[in-house]
Amino acid sequence: MGGLGAGSIALIAIVALLIFGPKKLPELGKAAGNTLREFKNATKGLADEDDNKKKENDKA
């Protein structure tokens, strides 16, 4: 499974600029960043809960 190359990222950026316009892009970027941050925090919280459960089971 390949990652996105620089050309692909540039193409996506150009298409997004054409679709949404230069005034909307900062808002969309900020919203996407906030969404990713919330998702990362939520998944980290779930992983921490799993680790705590494993530690409690090991003690018993």
Side-chain angles (χ1 to χ4, degrees):
M1 188 172 200
L4 289 177
S8 298
I9 293 173
L11 180 63
I12 292 169
I14 291 170
V15 170
L17 185 62
L18 290 173
I19 292 173
F20 298 110
K23 292 183 180 181
K24 279 282 189 184
L25 282 183
E27 291 176 29
L28 293 172
K30 189 175 181 180
N34 288 338
T35 302
L36 287 174
R37 187 179 311 116
E38 288 178 23
F39 180 76
K40 185 177 174 183
N41 289 338
T43 55
K44 184 180 180 206
L46 291 174
D48 289 344
E49 287 177 15
D50 286 345
D51 289 344
N52 290 338
K53 286 181 183 177
K54 287 179 184 176
K55 286 179 185 176
E56 287 176 8
N57 289 339
D58 289 345
K59 288 180 183 177

